[in-house]
Amino acid sequence: MVPRMEQLDTHLGGKRPFGYSYWPLPEDDPGVEIPRESLRLVSQDGALVRGLLWLPPGGKPWKTAVILSHPRGDFSVHYACPLLAAAGYAVVGFGTRYQNNDTDCLHENCIVDVKTVYDEMRRRGAEAVVLLGNSGGGSLMAMAHAELGIGDGWIGMAAHPGEGVFMLQVIDPSVADENDPFATVAELDMYNPDNGWRPWPEPCEYDRDWLARYRAAQIDRVARVDAIAKASIADAEDAGRRLGGVDKSADPAGWRELRRRTVFSRYMAIYRTLADPAYLDLSIDPDERPMGSLFAFPDPFDANYGRGGLARSMTARGWLSTWSGLSSHAKLADTMPQVKVPTILVHPTADTEIRVRQAKEIVDNAGAEDITYVEMKGAPHYLEGHRPEALAHVSEWLAKRFP
C-alpha cells in the first residue's frame, strides 16, 4: 500500500499547476482524512461563486467557519484549508467571479462574492465566521468587513497593503509612452547602469536621493494611467447621456453611433510592471528576503519586459478599482482602521514582495483592540516549509477567541 503522504491527492500535495504557489505541498498534509464538499453559490447580483468546503475529520462538530479568497486566485486549493480543517474548523476556500482573470476585476463586486460565502456559512449554522486573507486577499477581506460589516475576526497571512498600493511600488516609472513598451526616460530607469543597475545576479546599489525621485515618478505614472482610464469612462458616460435624446426609430444610424460609444470598454495594455529597486538592492527596507521577485523568472528585468508582472491587460474600470494605488478603495490604510474585530497578521520575513515595515504599518493601522502580530523568520511569501507552524499560530489564536 502506498503511504498516504505519497498519494497524489490534488488538494493535499499532488502536483500543483504553474502559478498556484499557494497549493498544498506534501509536507502540509495534516495526516488525517479531511472531508471536502464542492460549493457552487450564486451571489445576489447573479454571479457564480465556486469553492470547496473543508470539514473537520471524523465528522467532528464545528462552530466557527473560516473563509478565504483572493480577487483572482482559486483559494479552494489554499494550504490553509486542510490545516485549519484538521484543527476543527469549517473552512471555505473559494474564488471570486474573476478567478484566474482579473482583467475587469472590480473589488466592489469581489466583496459581494465574499458576502455570498459568509451568508452561506451562517445559513449552515456557523456561530462565527472569520475572514482570512493571504497576499491580495488581505485587502479584499478587510474591504469586505469595512464596507459590508461582515466577519467576526480578520486573519492576514503575508497580506500586502492593497493591490493598488503594491502596484505603486513595482510599476516602472521610466515608461515615456504608454503605447510604446520601449520608450524610456533614462534617468528614471532602474535597469539603467547609470542609475546603479548591474546584470543579474549581481546586486545593485541605488542612490537614496535618486530613489526618492523614482518613487515620486511611480506615483506620477499611476496618475497618468488613471487619467487615461477616467477619460475613457467619462466619454462613455457622456455618450450615454446624449443617447437618451436620440429616437432610434427616427435616427437608427445616430442611435447606433452613440450606443456603441456608450457600451465601449477600453482595454489598456500596461507595460513594465515589475520594477521595484528593492528587488535588486537589499539595503532598501532590509529584511531577510533574497534578491528578486516572486513574479520573476528569476530576473525582474526579464519579467518587467516579458511575461510576468501584474495588471498587464486591464479594462479602464478594472484598473481603477483594483490596481490603481490612487483610485482603488481596497487599501488597508483606509480599511484597517474600520476592522475592529480580533485581528492577527502573520508575516514571513523573507517575503520578496512585502516589507517588514509594511506589515507593521498594517498592524499599527488596525482598529481592533485585540491585535496579534507574528513574524515567521526566514519564510517566503507563500510560507513554503513553514506552513504547519504558521497555521498552528493561527489555530491557537482562533481557539482562544472562537470555539
Side-chain angles (χ1 to χ4, degrees):
M1 179 176 179
V2 179
R4 185 174 185 280
M5 288 289 287
E6 296 179 11
Q7 293 176 1
L8 292 181
D9 185 325
T10 55
H11 297 109
L12 291 173
K15 184 177 180 180
R16 68 186 184 190
F18 175 76
Y20 277 54
S21 298
Y22 46 82
W23 191 278
L25 298 170
E27 58 264 32
D28 305 327
D29 189 334
V32 292
E33 294 293 337
I34 307 294
R36 299 190 294 270
E37 175 187 336
S38 179
L39 291 184
R40 291 175 176 83
L41 307 173
V42 178
S43 70
Q44 63 183 18
D45 59 343
L48 179 62
V49 183
R50 292 169 290 186
L52 281 178
L53 169 60
W54 302 66
L55 294 169
K60 179 182 177 181
W62 56 271
K63 295 181 180 180
T64 297
V66 179
I67 65 175
L68 57 150
S69 189
H70 186 280
R72 65 189 170 280
D74 177 11
F75 273 16
S76 69
V77 292
H78 195 280
Y79 61 84
C81 295
L83 291 167
L84 288 177
Y89 299 94
V91 186
V92 181
F94 65 99
T96 73
R97 67 190 72 187
Y98 304 108
Q99 180 175 307
N100 296 330
N101 184 358
D102 70 350
T103 302
D104 190 41
C105 179
L106 305 182
H107 266 72
E108 291 74 14
N109 288 340
C110 288
I111 63 174
V112 173
D113 298 345
V114 174
K115 188 176 188 302
T116 300
V117 177
Y118 172 88
D119 289 344
E120 173 65 12
M121 296 315 292
R122 285 293 193 188
R123 185 188 71 80
R124 288 176 178 244
E127 296 179 8
V129 179
V130 178
L131 311 180
L132 189 156
N134 172 212
S135 193
S139 50
L140 169 61
M141 291 302 182
M143 182 179 176
H145 179 83
E147 298 203 1
L148 302 179
I150 60 175
D152 301 290
W154 183 88
I155 302 168
M157 300 189 68
H160 58 60
E163 294 192 297
V165 179
F166 179 75
M167 181 56 63
L168 280 174
Q169 80 184 34
V170 299
I171 199 166
D172 190 337
S174 69
V175 170
D177 181 347
E178 292 299 329
N179 296 311
D180 183 351
F182 297 108
T184 303
V185 180
E187 57 269 27
L188 291 175
D189 185 5
M190 70 167 272
Y191 298 111
N192 185 330
D194 293 340
N195 297 326
W197 174 77
R198 295 294 179 269
W200 181 271
E202 294 183 50
C204 303
E205 185 175 344
Y206 298 103
D207 177 79
R208 293 305 186 262
D209 290 337
W210 175 88
L211 182 63
R213 294 192 297 273
Y214 187 92
R215 295 301 191 198
Q218 288 179 302
I219 296 173
D220 290 343
R221 185 183 173 201
V222 169
R224 292 195 299 271
V225 177
D226 275 20
I228 294 170
K230 290 177 179 178
S232 174
I233 293 172
D235 287 345
E237 291 175 344
D238 176 67
R241 287 189 290 269
R242 290 186 287 141
L243 179 65
V246 176
D247 184 338
K248 64 181 177 181
S249 298
D251 184 9
W255 184 89
R256 171 191 173 277
E257 179 62 20
L258 287 174
R259 178 61 179 166
R260 69 175 184 170
R261 293 181 180 277
T262 298
V263 300
F264 175 73
S265 180
R266 183 185 183 101
Y267 282 75
M268 304 187 301
I270 302 163
Y271 298 110
R272 292 155 52 186
T273 61
L274 204 66
D276 183 359
Y279 286 146
L280 302 179
D281 183 347
L282 299 183
S283 69
I284 300 171
D285 287 327
D287 51 22
E288 297 176 320
R289 70 186 185 274
M291 253 188 14
S293 168
L294 176 72
F295 303 105
F297 39 88
D299 184 357
F301 174 90
D302 294 350
N304 191 50
Y305 281 91
R307 297 182 301 277
L310 296 163
R312 300 295 294 272
S313 178
M314 297 295 299
T315 63
R317 66 179 193 170
W319 165 264
L320 293 170
S321 178
T322 294
W323 286 112
S324 168
L326 303 179
S327 298
S328 173
H329 296 297
K331 290 188 276 191
L332 288 182
D334 296 337
T335 56
M336 283 306 292
Q338 302 175 64
V339 178
K340 301 184 185 300
V341 293
T343 294
I344 181 173
L345 177 63
V346 178
H347 177 70
T349 61
D351 194 330
T352 59
E353 312 306 318
I354 306 160
R355 314 292 169 246
V356 172
R357 165 185 59 81
Q358 294 174 313
K360 291 181 177 179
E361 287 172 355
I362 292 171
V363 171
D364 290 343
N365 283 330
E369 294 183 2
D370 180 352
I371 303 173
T372 303
Y373 175 60
V374 178
E375 286 187 353
M376 300 300 298
K377 296 293 185 181
H381 183 70
Y382 287 114
L383 290 155
E384 293 95 328
H386 303 260
R387 292 170 176 178
E389 179 187 356
L391 270 300
H393 285 296
V394 173
S395 298
E396 181 181 355
W397 178 86
L398 282 166
K400 291 179 179 178
R401 293 159 180 82
F402 306 100

